Amino acid sequence: MRIRALVLTALLLPGCQGASPAPAQPTPTGPPPAVCPSVTFSCTVPGLGCIEGGADFAAQMRAECGGDSVPADGPCPREGGVGACTTYDGLTANLHACATLVFAAGSVPDAAEAQAKCETFKGTYTAP
């Protein structure tokens, strides 16, 4: 499934040694907002977690959430998560919208690793 592959690539590439540099990504239009819009859509990806965002996120990712992933109108569940990472850019190669990745238990070993992954996204980590 495409969204899972994009997010897994984003999670794994920062730790790869000797990998070719990633191609330049398109830049978002305008600066990131000071506060992300209210959550209107989420996509739960088995073994990874759940990604949520507002209308800007939904417009870009609704079509990507399918296959073994579960779309929902509303926020991600937080129960059993290992923390969350909110960022405007970088969770997936083509996403340029406010989004929050809620790390599922088992997707990373612990909250410290979730926070480290969030730093690679230049995001803001929120403890579980």
Side-chain angles (χ1 to χ4, degrees):
M1 167 171 162
R2 207 165 142 183
I3 194 168
R4 181 184 177 105
L6 290 171
V7 174
L8 286 175
T9 299
L11 286 170
L12 297 175
L13 280 181
C16 293
Q17 299 295 320
S20 300
Q25 299 299 319
T27 50
T29 56
V35 175
C36 291
S38 297
V39 173
T40 59
F41 179 75
S42 62
C43 181
T44 301
V45 183
L48 176 64
C50 182
I51 307 169
E52 66 184 17
D56 56 345
F57 171 79
Q60 295 181 48
M61 301 307 289
R62 189 174 293 275
E64 299 291 327
C65 186
D68 59 348
S69 296
V70 179
D73 292 323
C76 294
R78 296 295 200 270
E79 304 81 35
V82 189
C85 181
T86 301
T87 185
Y88 180 74
D89 203 20
L91 285 177
T92 70
N94 300 317
L95 177 63
H96 302 291
C98 279
T100 299
L101 169 61
V102 179
F103 293 98
S107 65
V108 291
D110 54 32
E113 181 66 20
Q115 185 171 8
K117 291 289 185 190
C118 187
E119 288 172 9
T120 68
F121 301 138
K122 296 179 177 44
T124 301
Y125 176 77
T126 305

